[in-house]
Amino acid sequence: MDNRILDALKAIRDTYGDAVFYNVTTTRNLLADLAPDLRKERIQITHFLDMGGYFPLKYAEKEYDVVRSRLVEQLMATYSTMRPIADWVLDIFSKFLGYNLDEEKGAYKPPDKPTGKPLIGDRIDRKDKPAVIKNSGRIERSVEKKPITSALYPAPPLQPTQRTEEKPSKSIHEYNFPTLHLPESAAKKDPTLRIAADYHSVAITRDGFVKAVGLNSDGQCNTITYDWRDMAAVSAGGYYTVGLRADGTVTSAGRNDFGQRDFLGWREVVGISAGARHTVGLRADGTLLSTGQNKHGECDVRHWRNIVKVIAGNACTFGIKKDGRVLVSGRNIKGDLQASHLNGVVDIAYGGPGRVIALLSDGRIARVGQENHMRRSFTLYKDVKQIVAAPDYFAGLMEDGTVKLLAYFWTDCGTEAAVTDWTGIRAIAAGRYHILGWQNDRLIGAMLHPDIGKDKGQLSVTRWEM
């Protein structure tokens, strides 16, 4: 059984190269052709690939034992896999990659010839990246298909697809990321850091305090204290609020059932992002801190480098690098992790599984997820300055200070009129059922859900001095 799986993996790699293992769907389908009767084994193999374990193991070399142990634990936690099965999966890939079994010590030893540089844990930043194929407006990870030939498992030839290389976006106007110095100056230059929304509305007011209104079921709006003074940035997560002080430390209020507010030891932080159940912090040196739920690996980001912006979503995390590429980690539903093959990215907006868009440096928008219920094409807009997302909608702040609903899902389309007369907007924030806009020295807002019961007072922001 082991040899059959190994032969199938080798046949795929010999035909496609290592890059094929980035595309789990393609690999799973090919394994189904080559080993149709090994369904349970194929499921465990694709779980390991979907978790992103292949390349960390491939490049482990001297750190093999550490990397293997970590991947076993991650596979068990992510897919509720029993340890013998997890060990079997790692054994298969260890043999496949040439880590030979030392019968005397009962452990694997590295092959005589190294497989590559010891790049541990970063499954995105690889030279083995597959080509990017554009298909029906979606950006998909794939590779050029060729017929597989295997003495044991012959498969019918596959039709070739057109291969195109993704070119970096050509900037038509200069984009400045928030500076990676202490965050006080960054907040003054970037107004998007000073407002946030979820089920509630949050903002740093002119006096440096943080105000919050709306749903307060877990105390997420309890921010009127001296602990929240001299703030540089705020972020609203699921039933909790996070604030970044000018001295690089972090404070918070609200729910902490998964440890998403455990910031002990966080220092020199210049950016924060609160997700559904986890929080990620950007440090001045371009590295990341993370805390909270890690069921899908959404907190496995501390090995990332050269990050200038971080976005925490629902069980996933996006990091934008200095060169405009994107690193991703966490749950990949409906292609959420396809953002790793974009270039020239300056922002990511995450509205939920399959509802992810990216803002490019030239003001265009690239669609990332595979949600098919969007009621508008993003190609209509080319001068977008900021993007935000909620489960119901995407919105964009245009260069001329107006706000557009870029796409909406089950939201009543009549609510689009709520933002058509907005002008002079400096920044926007997306709540679950409402949207905020920073207009001159005040905040304005609008409900975007037809159910009046969703109004929990989150629009009581009109008298705040910004």
Side-chain angles (χ1 to χ4, degrees):
M1 181 183 304
D2 289 4
N3 290 336
R4 294 182 62 186
I5 288 289
L6 282 170
D7 289 341
L9 290 171
K10 290 176 181 177
I12 294 172
R13 182 180 63 179
D14 292 343
T15 303
Y16 290 93
D18 281 325
V20 70
F21 298 121
Y22 271 109
N23 193 318
V24 181
T25 301
T26 298
T27 305
R28 181 175 63 242
N29 293 339
L30 293 172
L31 283 174
D33 291 336
L34 299 177
D37 57 327
L38 300 181
R39 181 176 178 274
K40 292 182 179 180
E41 290 77 6
R42 297 199 316 266
I43 290 175
Q44 297 302 330
I45 293 296
T46 54
H47 279 176
F48 178 77
L49 294 174
D50 193 42
M51 188 183 71
Y54 177 75
F55 285 96
L57 188 66
K58 175 182 177 180
Y59 292 99
E61 294 186 358
K62 295 181 180 180
E63 301 291 335
Y64 168 80
D65 291 334
V66 176
V67 174
R68 184 186 188 281
S69 175
R70 186 183 65 190
L71 291 174
V72 167
E73 297 295 333
Q74 187 177 350
L75 184 61
M76 293 171 58
T78 303
Y79 292 101
S80 301
T81 303
M82 293 185 292
R83 179 171 288 277
I85 296 177
D87 284 331
W88 175 82
V89 173
L90 269 293
D91 287 346
I92 286 294
F93 280 99
S94 296
K95 296 176 183 177
F96 178 60
L97 293 170
Y99 290 94
N100 305 309
L101 181 62
D102 188 333
E103 299 291 349
E104 295 182 359
K105 297 182 179 180
Y108 283 93
K109 58 183 179 180
D112 296 334
K113 296 182 179 181
T115 57
K117 296 180 180 180
L119 302 175
I120 301 171
D122 185 356
R123 68 175 183 273
I124 299 301
D125 195 10
R126 296 278 184 242
K127 62 182 180 180
D128 310 83
K129 283 185 179 180
V132 174
I133 294 178
K134 294 183 178 179
N135 182 22
S136 302
R138 292 201 306 262
I139 296 178
E140 297 183 353
R141 289 180 292 175
S142 185
V143 291
E144 184 180 1
K145 295 182 179 180
K146 300 177 183 178
I148 284 186
T149 56
S150 171
L152 294 178
Y153 313 106
L158 299 174
Q159 295 297 324
T161 59
Q162 183 179 1
R163 178 175 176 176
T164 59
E165 295 293 336
E166 182 78 3
K167 296 181 180 180
S169 302
K170 185 177 180 181
S171 177
I172 60 174
H173 53 257
E174 188 173 344
Y175 185 91
N176 294 318
F177 278 105
T179 177
L180 289 185
H181 301 298
L182 287 180
E184 184 176 9
S185 59
K188 291 179 180 179
K189 294 181 180 180
D190 188 357
T192 64
L193 301 177
R194 298 186 61 180
I195 61 174
D198 195 84
Y199 289 105
H200 55 304
S201 301
V202 188
I204 303 175
T205 57
R206 184 181 301 174
D207 58 7
F209 280 103
V210 174
K211 291 185 178 180
V213 293
L215 183 66
N216 195 29
S217 57
D218 293 83
Q220 58 265 43
C221 293
N222 298 339
T223 61
I224 307 298
T225 67
Y226 275 90
D227 190 45
W228 287 79
R229 191 173 178 84
D230 296 326
M231 306 305 294
V234 289
S235 183
Y239 304 99
Y240 74 109
T241 306
V242 180
L244 175 61
R245 300 187 187 95
D247 63 0
T249 58
V250 180
T251 187
S252 60
R255 183 176 293 185
N256 192 34
D257 49 345
F258 288 95
Q260 57 266 49
R261 294 176 48 209
D262 294 344
F263 304 121
L264 182 63
W266 284 32
R267 298 289 186 273
E268 298 183 357
V269 179
V270 297
I272 51 172
S273 183
R277 300 176 184 88
H278 76 293
T279 307
V280 184
L282 172 64
R283 301 187 67 188
D285 60 0
T287 60
L288 298 180
L289 300 167
S290 59
T291 185
Q293 188 183 59
N294 194 32
K295 182 178 180 181
H296 302 279
E298 54 265 44
C299 288
D300 295 337
V301 297
R302 298 199 174 202
H303 58 281
W304 292 359
R305 298 293 183 269
N306 299 319
I307 304 298
V308 294
K309 190 164 188 176
V310 63
I311 300 93
N314 183 359
C316 61
T317 302
F318 300 84
I320 302 176
K321 302 187 72 173
K322 286 183 179 180
D323 58 6
R325 290 183 298 132
V326 181
L327 303 184
V328 290
S329 183
R331 183 171 56 180
N332 184 22
I333 295 181
K334 299 183 180 180
D336 290 347
L337 303 193
Q338 291 174 353
S340 60
H341 295 289
L342 295 176
N343 294 291
V345 176
V346 296
D347 201 3
I348 294 284
Y350 180 91
R355 297 175 179 176
V356 186
I357 60 175
L359 178 62
L360 306 181
S361 59
D362 60 1
R364 294 182 299 112
I365 296 175
R367 178 173 163 184
V368 178
Q370 298 178 1
E371 175 63 66
N372 295 320
H373 302 296
M374 297 180 186
R375 303 178 186 176
R376 180 163 296 174
S377 172
F378 296 122
T379 58
L380 297 174
Y381 306 105
K382 300 182 190 244
D383 295 308
V384 184
K385 183 178 180 181
Q386 180 195 356
I387 54 175
V388 295
D392 283 356
Y393 65 92
F394 288 121
L397 173 61
M398 314 304 288
E399 287 287 347
D400 60 4
T402 60
V403 178
K404 304 288 186 184
L405 286 186
L406 303 175
Y408 41 89
F409 305 95
W410 58 84
T411 299
D412 183 358
C413 59
T415 61
E416 183 178 7
V419 297
T420 53
D421 60 345
W422 285 15
T423 59
I425 304 300
R426 301 176 57 188
I428 56 177
R432 296 294 180 114
Y433 310 119
H434 73 294
I435 184 170
L436 292 179
W438 181 352
Q439 186 181 58
N440 299 323
D441 59 352
R442 67 182 184 128
L443 280 182
I444 58 176
M447 293 299 297
L448 294 180
H449 200 284
D451 184 0
I452 194 173
K454 304 298 184 182
D455 187 349
K456 303 297 182 182
Q458 55 266 59
L459 297 185
S460 304
V461 298
T462 55
R463 295 187 178 181
W464 294 0
E465 293 183 356
M466 299 297 294

